[in-house]
Amino acid sequence: MSEPSALPSQNDIMDRQQDDIVARQYEAWVYPPPIHDMVDAITQGYYEYADIQAGGPIFWPRRRDFNDLDILIAGCGTNQAAYTALRNPSSRVVAIDISQSSLSHSQYLKDKHGLDNLEVRHLDLMAVASLDKSFDFILSTGVLHHLKEPDRGLQALRGVLRPAGVMHLMLYGKTLRQGVYLLQEAFRLMGLGQSKEDIDIVRKTLTALPGRHSVHAYLNAKDAAEELKYDTAIVDTFLHGRDRAYSITEIFDFVEENGLAFLGWMDRLDCSGQANFPANDAISKRIKRLDERKRAAIIDLLAYTHGVHRFNLCHPEYLQSLPRIDFEGTEFLHYVPRPHSRLKVSWTRPADPDSPAILEREWHLMPISHPQALLIEHANGRNTIAEILGLLDGQSMTDEEKLHLARQTFATLYDMGHLLFSVF
Ligand SMILES: C[S@@+](CC[C@H](N)C(=O)[O-])C[C@H]1O[C@@H](n2cnc3c(N)ncnc32)[C@H](O)[C@@H]1O
């Protein structure tokens, strides 16, 4: 008889998966709803949050370009593999999933768009070491919270992350999804499975709920209603075989207990006290001096900001080598800011003193002064902040006033995630 081995083999893991409730669900109900032409979809505005090209400095504040990377997508579902390969043509993408139906759709998109830089593999992420490769970027969104042992899943991914690599995760959040879990429990008690009839009962229940039910916070959130038109989204949200959610505190514990370091949120807007509870408000003042984690936890508890947490991780040693973005001294004058890809600033020209410029992104809208709008206009990913200040010559301000304006404006827009900063 052979000795039992400490680690299960790839075959053992895949065999076990055949019986797994999550594997069976994603075989029958692929997620997200398949996109049939990714080039068309991107032209019409489709995007993924963790887009390496758009998010650049959020992942690597010291990199000048974001090409020639080895990318792993762990639990790619239907569309993410093709999207990532298309958006990163000079990088190599390996996409794995336990659902053969999802992989078939990824393969269809690969063939359709001639994506030679994409490899799709039927593989459980617990067995990712069997690829015998390491990666600069690991993307795993909406996957680890479905595992029996999310900690072991994260450890497996950590094992294939290069020393200066970055991992992006999306995990469910507790606050906004509170009502979802109440409904999941009710549907379990009703004995619902994942059949068409069961989906129909969910839909009927959603229309019959009293206005006071906490699920309405979730149903009214951006994109939820559009998503839930699809049966697969009803299954994924309300009839899932296994999912769990994380509070902000649990996110940090999850990361650190599994040997990784928290690099930052994908979008700082949802955790920003100034954006959620505008300045001068009692809440903003009270939490201003707390550390970033506590502030984020408080904002989430008060504002229900997190249906999901999107965040980036790296090895602790790599984090040590990175600059801390900080606007206290004068170091920030060397930062190179660029706008978030979906930031809009509108103002009338020539500047009308009676109508401020308007800054807008996602759910956030804020009036800003014309000199602030000018600062943002010159934040193009090439100029340092010192150079941008040099471009403000036409404005009747002393050097000290300009410095003050820059510090206050860039610190605020960093806090809200509206500008991204590189440090070379
Ligand atoms: C909610 S979908 C998310 C798909 C994709 N990441 C996205 O955000 O569009 C979850 C996917 O993870 C896959 N999955 C679940 N457990 C997995 C595991 N242990 N290894 C690899 N893939 C897994 C499922 O088959 C499914 O395709």
Side-chain angles (χ1 to χ4, degrees), residues 17 20 22-23 26-27 30-32 46 48 73-80 96-99 102 123-126 139-143 145-147 170 172 236 240:
Q17 275 298 357
D20 187 83
V22 173
Y26 286 113
E27 212 56 79
V30 295
Y31 191 86
Y46 176 81
E48 297 241 344
I73 310 184
C76 59
T78 39
N79 307 319
Q80 204 168 40
I96 62 172
D97 204 291
I98 45 167
S99 153
S102 299
L123 187 68
D124 189 315
L125 68 82
M126 298 296 280
L139 177 61
S140 191
T141 57
V143 183
H145 50 226
H146 296 312
L147 264 51
M170 180 277 267
Y172 287 150
D236 211 67
H240 207 291

Side-chain angles (χ1 to χ4, degrees), residues 372-389:
Q372 285 182 310
L374 261 183
L375 287 179
I376 299 171
E377 194 165 84
H378 293 302
N380 56 11
R382 291 187 297 279
N383 300 321
T384 62
I385 293 180
E387 285 163 345
I388 293 173
L389 283 183

Side-chain angles (χ1 to χ4, degrees), residues 142-199:
V143 183
L144 293 181
H145 50 226
H146 296 312
L147 264 51
K148 259 191 208 134
E149 299 176 289
D151 293 276
R152 292 192 65 191
L154 184 56
Q155 288 162 24
L157 295 180
R158 186 194 65 197
V160 294
L161 183 67
R162 289 187 179 152
V166 171
M167 190 187 304
H168 172 88
L169 298 185
M170 180 277 267
L171 296 177
Y172 287 150
K174 273 192 168 156
T175 52
L176 192 63
R177 287 176 64 83
Q178 225 174 25
V180 169
Y181 291 109
L182 301 183
L183 290 195
Q184 281 191 6
E185 191 180 341
F187 295 138
R188 258 193 307 275
L189 291 170
M190 287 160 79
L192 299 197
Q194 298 178 339
S195 69
K196 273 280 195 193
E197 293 71 36
D198 295 337
I199 293 168

Side-chain angles (χ1 to χ4, degrees), residues 271-274 277 282-291 294-296 298-299 302:
C271 299
S272 161
Q274 297 182 78
F277 300 99
I283 300 166
S284 298
K285 277 191 190 154
R286 180 78 202 190
I287 68 175
K288 204 170 165 183
R289 285 184 213 300
L290 299 178
D291 72 46
K294 269 205 187 129
R295 278 207 312 264
I298 293 167
I299 298 300
L302 297 181

Side-chain angles (χ1 to χ4, degrees), residues 37 57 82 85 117 121 135 145 205 227 245 265 279 291 326 332 334 358 409-410 419:
D37 188 316
N117 61 335
R121 297 274 293 260
F135 298 90
H145 50 226
T205 307
E227 268 258 304
W265 302 111
D291 72 46
D326 170 30
F332 80 95
H334 304 293
I358 301 292
T409 304
F410 287 115
L419 291 182

Side-chain angles (χ1 to χ4, degrees), residues 333-398:
L333 290 170
H334 304 293
Y335 298 169
V336 177
R338 77 185 218 192
H340 191 288
S341 58
R342 292 190 296 287
L343 182 71
K344 279 193 231 139
V345 179
S346 40
W347 50 317
T348 46
R349 287 163 210 248
D352 172 359
D354 293 329
S355 86
I358 301 292
L359 174 150
E360 204 179 336
R361 187 169 70 83
E362 304 286 339
W363 51 268
H364 188 231
L365 194 134
M366 176 171 83
I368 52 172
S369 69
H370 294 108
Q372 285 182 310
L374 261 183
L375 287 179
I376 299 171
E377 194 165 84
H378 293 302
N380 56 11
R382 291 187 297 279
N383 300 321
T384 62
I385 293 180
E387 285 163 345
I388 293 173
L389 283 183
L391 295 167
L392 281 189
D393 270 353
Q395 306 290 313
S396 47
M397 279 189 273
T398 64

